[in-house]
Amino acid sequence: MAKPALFDVSHQELCPRCGAELVIRSGKHGPFLGCSHYPDCDYIRPLKNQTDGHVIKVLEGQQCPACGSELVLRQGRFGMFIGCASYPACGHTELIDKPDDTAIPCPQCGEGHLVQRRSRYGKTFHSCDRYPACQFAINFKPVVGECPECHYPLLIEKKTAHGVKRYCASKQCGKPVPAQSTCEE
């Protein structure tokens, strides 16, 4: 049985193979245009060219620092971002959610600081700002403090059923830290 279409295309575009109306359908890789006479006609086409990031909105009054063109809000493969309107001639891009820089020094290298980052799957993690030279990363919120057991210079906060608890950030230790032993700043 064919999947029902999400809704009809507003401009009544016709299928180039059979002449039937094209509808927007949902698939495992996102929405696409498909023939309304499926499975008799199996014509499909991408909804938009999503390889370069299609324009969502023009950001009026903001100019590209590289070439002076207008900046636009784009939807790309890994989410929304700000880019130059004269792409591909100018490849300037900016992140919408800039990483939160913490004042916590990296416990592995001691030179960098931990910054909040987002994986390609949307999960938040913290890593050293000296990446790739230092590859330290943790999946929980870092907290300034020292483990009373192993004296590792970083703690992490985890949300549990009993509230927010703090643990040693060392993978070898990982023990819970009592509330009175933590260093609050």
Side-chain angles (χ1 to χ4, degrees):
M1 181 171 185
K3 266 185 158 178
L6 296 176
F7 51 89
D8 292 343
V9 174
S10 60
H11 51 43
Q12 305 294 329
E13 192 173 347
L14 299 178
C15 175
R17 286 191 191 162
C18 69
E21 190 175 334
L22 291 180
V23 292
I24 296 178
R25 296 195 182 271
S26 176
K28 68 179 181 179
H29 299 294
F32 63 93
L33 282 174
C35 183
S36 60
H37 285 166
Y38 178 83
D40 296 331
C41 178
D42 61 355
Y43 176 79
I44 61 169
R45 172 178 100 212
L47 188 59
K48 292 190 184 250
N49 183 7
Q50 297 178 355
T51 57
D52 64 347
H54 59 276
V55 175
I56 303 291
K57 180 181 176 184
V58 176
L59 303 175
E60 296 176 14
Q62 295 187 25
Q63 292 184 334
C64 174
C67 71
S69 297
E70 285 187 317
L71 291 177
V72 293
L73 182 65
R74 293 182 180 267
Q75 175 68 41
R77 184 174 171 192
F78 299 113
M80 295 180 70
F81 65 97
I82 297 172
C84 184
S86 62
Y87 177 83
C90 177
H92 175 77
T93 60
E94 298 175 8
L95 293 174
I96 293 175
D97 295 329
K98 293 192 169 47
D100 296 336
D101 188 9
T102 64
I104 302 172
C106 176
Q108 186 170 322
C109 69
E111 296 175 30
H113 289 83
L114 298 181
V115 292
Q116 181 181 358
R117 299 182 190 262
R118 196 173 290 267
S119 73
R120 64 180 171 181
Y121 303 110
K123 299 213 38 127
T124 302
F125 67 97
H126 290 79
S127 67
C128 183
D129 61 359
R130 293 186 58 241
Y131 179 85
C134 177
Q135 296 189 359
F136 178 80
I138 54 173
N139 291 325
F140 297 99
K141 182 181 175 188
V143 179
V144 175
E146 185 176 294
C147 177
E149 295 283 326
C150 68
H151 302 289
Y152 195 73
L154 184 67
L155 302 176
I156 56 173
E157 276 187 354
K158 290 184 183 180
K159 292 179 183 173
T160 66
H162 302 291
V164 177
K165 302 270 186 176
R166 293 186 177 180
Y167 295 87
C168 178
S170 170
K171 291 179 182 174
Q172 286 79 28
C173 179
K175 293 183 179 176
V177 177
Q180 66 270 17
S181 297
T182 60
C183 176
E184 300 279 336
E185 284 192 34

